[in-house]
Amino acid sequence: MKDKRFVYGARCCWFGSISEVGHTNIGLPCCPHCGSVLYEMPDEATWWDGVDRYEAAGHLGYRAMVEWMRGKHFRSPDEGAAAYAAHMRDVKTD
């Protein structure tokens, strides 16, 4: 049976499936970029449900930003949001 857990950094803004994690020197799953410990959810659908609820609570564009952040690593939400804003500025000037 495939492990469907979905994880996200406790001290960073990386997220992904359990199969994408790194491991500490004692074998614990961690962020593959910085080694942050991880929180987990039962599956990816649970993750996106939370993202959609947050956007519906008045944070227009949140899901688009989070989708863009997938596969990237940021030390904080502010760093990720700033990178996304810069990306969007670049897209509009092309």
Side-chain angles (χ1 to χ4, degrees), residues 6 10 15 29 31 45 51 54-55 60-62 68 79 86-87 91-92:
F6 200 75
F15 60 92
C31 171
V51 169
Y54 189 76
E55 181 164 5
L60 186 62
Y62 184 70
W68 175 84
E79 183 181 295
H87 164 74
V91 168
K92 289 179 183 176

Side-chain angles (χ1 to χ4, degrees), residues 1-92:
M1 185 168 155
K2 183 180 177 195
D3 190 342
K4 296 181 179 182
R5 289 179 294 167
F6 200 75
V7 295
Y8 58 101
R11 294 185 326 239
C12 70
C13 289
W14 178 85
F15 60 92
S17 71
I18 193 71
S19 66
E20 299 173 81
V21 302
H23 292 88
T24 66
N25 59 358
I26 59 171
L28 296 174
C30 66
C31 171
H33 300 279
C34 70
S36 172
V37 296
L38 301 169
Y39 294 117
E40 71 177 57
M41 300 185 149
D43 54 40
E44 187 169 347
T46 304
W47 167 265
W48 292 113
D49 286 346
V51 169
D52 290 339
R53 280 193 311 275
Y54 189 76
E55 181 164 5
H59 304 277
L60 186 62
Y62 184 70
R63 183 172 177 126
M65 180 183 72
V66 174
E67 287 175 349
W68 175 84
M69 289 174 68
R70 181 133 194 197
K72 298 172 178 68
H73 180 259
F74 301 102
R75 294 277 178 184
S76 70
D78 288 343
E79 183 181 295
Y84 180 68
H87 164 74
M88 293 306 291
R89 282 191 301 273
D90 291 344
V91 168
K92 289 179 183 176

